[in-house]
Amino acid sequence: MWSETLCLILGALCLSYSQDVNTQIAYANDIFSMELFKAALKDDAENVVISPVSVSTLLALVQQGSGGSTETQLEEVLHLDPEQSRDGYSHLTRNLKESSGNVTLEFANGAFLKEGYEVKSQFKNVLEQDFQSTVESVLFSDPPAAAEEINSWVADHTHNKIQDLLSPALLDASTRLVLVNAIYFKGFWKTPFQKRDTRSDNFFTEPNTAKQVSTMHLQFNFLTGNLLDLNSRWLQLPFLGGRFYMLIILPDEIEGVGKLAESLTGRDVTDLINNLENSGSSPVVNLTLPKFKLQTTLQLGPTLQKIGLTDLFTDRANLTGISEEPVAVSQVIHKAEIEVDEDGATAAAVTAIHANALFASLAPPPLLVFRVDHPFIAFVVDDLNKLPLFACRVTDPTAS
């Protein structure tokens, strides 16, 4: 019988401290990102935005307190063993910050413990030293107050983009621990769209179904190319500062986004991100891109079970490295938002886990038209670390 509860909330991201570790973490993240993204898309036919690295950071932290088959499953899903994930995410946590005036990137971890509840010293050291988490005591016997305190922390660290993440109904006197990580990104385009050029254009949600959407227009030299095996084209839309960009992948067919999402692999993403300059060219591009704002709340427990984390959600969970009390995860909640307009993009994400205790490219023509007028996939990419921070599928820009 499970009587205590463990809650983990977070979002995540990565930065480098050594080329070898950076490459290893980035590649593992790319693989996990696409596996999670594709699994999440299968459960939702509409617009979706997710920060897979947010989820992977949470799982990497849980991995430090795991054992037995639970540890094995986490290693297989994260594509990193506990030592690799601890070392990699430890350095990423320290380095994942940017505030240049043009771009803001914030990343923070927090741990909320039931008053009087003790985690094992080694896991506490992982929290405080490796994942740089703050640690606070909370009265989970008062669920509304506890939820308000945690949600306030989340809102503060996402500039109020993510609010009311955790419902008081998820907390009770049996809750022992809530781990939280928040990620916030705001960037301005290197070449902004002019608002006077924005107008209503057709966006085909289906081959014979079009909606009038507010569409931005810009003619400029953009890095772009083709993904012939995926019947798609891509375009890089850089933010000021040079570190971040939006990568738009547009299927050739109006109804092709489903097949694209199913076929796109982590290796494809890794190869493209690492070889972008060599995979395309920079002609003058006539770009049309719809403005959009996406908000997604996902219950990721079933999704994570589909990709291999089965023990974590049952009484077979082995998380004895966290505390003396046996615990298992009951829910994983992920909430994310992204907004794209003429000036740039703003994105934020958090992931919440609630657990119960146990007892090849073609040269384009000189002037190329890149018309994003049907469903597409987009990533916000950290070029320094060669990994996507956010991934989204836009099927209808008019729906949030």
Side-chain angles (χ1 to χ4, degrees), residues 1-244:
M1 184 69 183
W2 301 92
S3 57
E4 284 78 30
T5 300
L6 167 67
C7 281
L8 314 175
I9 307 177
L10 59 87
L13 203 44
C14 299
L15 194 83
S16 67
Y17 69 103
S18 133
Q19 188 60 41
D20 289 342
V21 172
N22 185 55
T23 300
Q24 182 182 56
I25 295 294
Y27 180 71
N29 254 304
D30 291 345
I31 300 298
F32 172 81
S33 294
M34 287 311 304
E35 290 174 348
L36 180 68
F37 188 45
K38 289 197 286 188
L41 292 182
K42 288 181 179 178
D43 296 330
D44 196 321
E46 306 302 327
N47 295 329
V48 171
V49 56
I50 191 172
S51 177
V53 71
S54 165
V55 183
S56 66
T57 299
L58 169 61
L59 295 177
L61 179 53
V62 174
Q63 186 183 25
Q64 305 311 308
S66 68
S69 61
T70 303
E71 178 182 327
T72 299
Q73 291 175 6
L74 282 163
E75 181 174 340
E76 291 174 349
V77 168
L78 290 172
H79 306 281
L80 297 167
D81 64 36
E83 182 178 358
Q84 291 170 332
S85 67
R86 185 187 68 245
D87 292 345
Y89 284 103
S90 170
H91 287 84
L92 298 176
T93 297
R94 285 171 168 77
N95 294 318
L96 191 60
K97 291 174 175 53
E98 176 80 15
S99 183
S100 63
N102 298 320
V103 171
T104 299
L105 175 63
E106 297 181 7
F107 179 78
N109 293 320
F112 299 84
L113 281 67
K114 179 180 179 179
E115 283 194 348
Y117 176 72
E118 292 187 5
V119 297
K120 289 186 175 180
S121 59
Q122 184 175 352
F123 187 75
K124 188 175 182 182
N125 287 335
V126 169
L127 278 173
E128 296 180 330
Q129 301 301 320
D130 295 312
F131 286 82
Q132 301 233 298
S133 175
T134 59
V135 179
E136 301 179 29
S137 294
V138 177
L139 285 172
F140 288 119
S141 56
D142 185 354
E148 182 179 359
E149 182 173 348
I150 295 169
N151 288 336
S152 177
W153 187 97
V154 170
D156 287 344
H157 287 84
T158 61
H159 293 238
N160 292 314
K161 288 293 182 182
I162 305 294
Q163 299 188 38
D164 301 324
L165 173 73
L166 195 63
S167 167
L170 289 176
L171 306 174
D172 56 34
S174 69
T175 302
R176 292 296 182 263
L177 170 67
V178 173
L179 298 175
V180 184
N181 166 282
I183 177 175
Y184 172 83
F185 173 83
K186 182 178 180 65
F188 294 96
W189 301 126
K190 182 178 180 181
T191 305
F193 295 84
Q194 298 301 310
K195 293 183 180 181
R196 64 176 178 269
D197 295 328
T198 299
R199 57 182 180 268
S200 292
D201 286 340
N202 282 334
F203 186 93
F204 292 87
T205 56
E206 297 176 7
N208 296 312
T209 304
K211 290 187 175 183
Q212 287 287 298
V213 304
S214 185
T215 304
M216 306 177 293
H217 296 255
L218 181 62
Q219 187 169 300
F220 199 74
N221 291 89
F222 289 111
L223 184 60
T224 184
N226 299 313
L227 297 171
L228 298 180
D229 292 343
L230 297 173
N231 297 313
S232 301
R233 305 158 65 198
W234 60 266
L235 181 136
Q236 180 199 52
L237 195 56
F239 294 100
L240 279 171
R243 175 176 170 180
F244 305 99

Side-chain angles (χ1 to χ4, degrees), residues 301-335:
T303 302
L304 290 171
Q305 292 181 65
K306 288 178 184 177
I307 64 175
L309 294 182
T310 54
D311 284 6
L312 197 62
F313 299 89
T314 72
D315 58 7
R316 298 190 304 274
N318 183 341
L319 297 176
T320 52
I322 292 179
S323 73
E324 296 295 341
E325 297 176 279
V327 294
V329 173
S330 61
Q331 296 187 59
V332 178
I333 306 167
H334 184 78
K335 191 170 185 177

Side-chain angles (χ1 to χ4, degrees), residues 262-308:
E262 180 63 30
S263 302
L264 192 64
T265 67
R267 184 177 295 276
D268 292 329
V269 173
T270 297
D271 291 345
L272 184 57
I273 289 175
N274 281 282
N275 299 288
L276 211 61
E277 294 286 344
N278 298 323
S279 299
S281 58
S282 301
V284 177
V285 177
N286 188 352
L287 172 64
T288 64
L289 178 68
K291 296 170 62 175
F292 61 90
K293 180 178 181 179
L294 311 184
Q295 296 174 317
T296 302
T297 300
L298 299 171
Q299 301 288 341
L300 288 179
T303 302
L304 290 171
Q305 292 181 65
K306 288 178 184 177
I307 64 175

